[in-house]
Amino acid sequence: MSTLHTVNKSPFEKTSLDVCLSHAGAGASVLLLEDGVYGATKGTAVETRVKQALDSVKLFVLGPDLKARGLSEDRVIEGISVVDYAGFVDLAAENDKVQAWL
Amino acid sequence: MKFAIQVNEGPYQHQASDSAYFFTKAALEKGHEVFRVFFYHDGVNNSSRLTTPPQDDRNIVNRWAELAEQHDLDMVVCVAAAQRRGVVDEGEMQRNGKDATNIHPRFRISGLGQLVEAAIQSDRLVVFGD
């Protein structure tokens, strides 16, 4: 049983990313979208927490939402994959369920 | 694969309606089926045909309606959430003694049972909100 978790809030606004990463089981996938994409960028106060999570979960970030915020893909932490909406659909299909951390 | 989509946020509020729209469009383009899009809470405001955004802005209501037209999507608005927010169809107008309707004809008002059914009938329920 694998789950896709979606986080749409900035980690500097809400704690949903931290709570999600603490909850997500090994092998789960986590997609950062909307303001959640800030959690995928290098050099922030949550970078260490996010890198640590990469040991047990797969992390993804929605490319169009990075672009909408003026963030280029080279700002993304290594190990996090950039996907588009089609990739989001694939993730939702590949996992058994989708949990939105609203 | 069969998807059900839930939208909990109004148009132009933040980004949930946009995200839900682009996800739904991408799923349909990949050949998946979208069993139903259910609009709940402030999401019911996505169905007002009276919205008039500036011409150079995206028209969120019409965009949903066009996608529904192209793919014969079932777009359901929660009745209790709609009543609270003044989203009205012909039936609700008569039942509640109102003098107008404002729902776009591509949407229909129904109950939460439609969300439960969509969750049961679909392989995945994907929720968008604030």
Side-chain angles (χ1 to χ4, degrees):
Chain A
M1 285 291 279
S2 61
T3 302
L4 170 67
H5 301 268
T6 63
V7 175
N8 73 339
K9 293 294 179 299
S10 163
F12 311 108
E13 178 195 359
K14 295 266 172 69
T15 57
S16 51
L17 176 61
D18 186 45
V19 178
C20 167
L21 294 178
S22 303
H23 178 89
S29 295
V30 178
L31 171 68
L32 305 174
L33 74 161
E34 301 177 6
D35 282 349
V37 301
Y38 290 113
T41 55
K42 290 179 202 163
T44 74
V46 298
E47 187 180 8
T48 309
R49 175 76 182 96
V50 172
K51 279 183 171 169
Q52 183 197 7
L54 280 168
D55 293 338
S56 58
V57 302
K58 285 173 277 186
L59 275 161
F60 302 86
V61 61
L62 196 64
D65 285 351
L66 278 174
K67 203 175 170 190
R69 287 158 181 79
L71 299 167
S72 62
E73 291 187 16
D74 54 21
R75 300 273 300 270
V76 174
I77 295 167
E78 267 164 53
I80 300 181
S81 313
V82 180
V83 295
D84 56 7
Y85 283 99
F88 182 2
V89 172
D90 290 341
L91 284 170
E94 286 159 13
N95 289 277
D96 300 309
K97 52 191 166 190
V98 185
Q99 174 64 51
W101 292 78
L102 300 178
Chain B
M1 179 163 285
K2 226 185 266 187
F3 284 99
I5 310 293
Q6 183 181 334
V7 183
N8 292 342
E9 189 190 286
Y12 311 105
Q13 188 178 348
H14 189 226
Q15 210 189 331
S17 185
D18 294 279
S19 299
Y21 171 81
F22 287 117
F23 180 92
T24 303
K25 191 163 174 279
L28 292 165
E29 280 166 2
K30 279 186 151 284
H32 294 295
E33 183 188 334
V34 174
F35 180 80
R36 179 169 295 146
V37 184
F38 190 86
F39 296 88
Y40 198 19
H41 303 294
D42 276 357
V44 301
N45 292 316
N46 285 289
S47 70
S48 171
R49 68 168 193 275
L50 302 184
T51 56
T52 313
Q55 281 187 354
D56 59 350
D57 194 357
R58 67 216 190 283
N59 189 317
I60 290 183
V61 176
N62 289 352
R63 200 172 58 177
W64 274 117
E66 281 155 22
L67 193 66
E69 192 64 42
Q70 280 167 25
H71 298 277
D72 201 22
L73 278 183
D74 185 22
M75 301 202 297
V76 175
V77 173
C78 170
V79 60
Q83 284 175 337
R84 287 189 179 94
R85 293 165 180 80
V87 172
V88 179
D89 66 1
E90 198 70 34
E92 288 301 308
M93 179 183 81
Q94 283 168 12
R95 208 174 353 268
N96 298 303
K98 302 294 178 186
D99 59 0
T101 71
N102 62 345
I103 196 167
H104 190 288
R106 278 304 316 186
F107 296 76
R108 65 188 180 91
I109 293 179
S110 191
L112 264 186
Q114 299 281 308
L115 173 61
V116 176
E117 185 200 32
I120 292 169
Q121 295 295 329
S122 304
D123 301 299
R124 304 284 182 276
L125 170 66
V126 187
V127 183
F128 296 88
D130 199 18

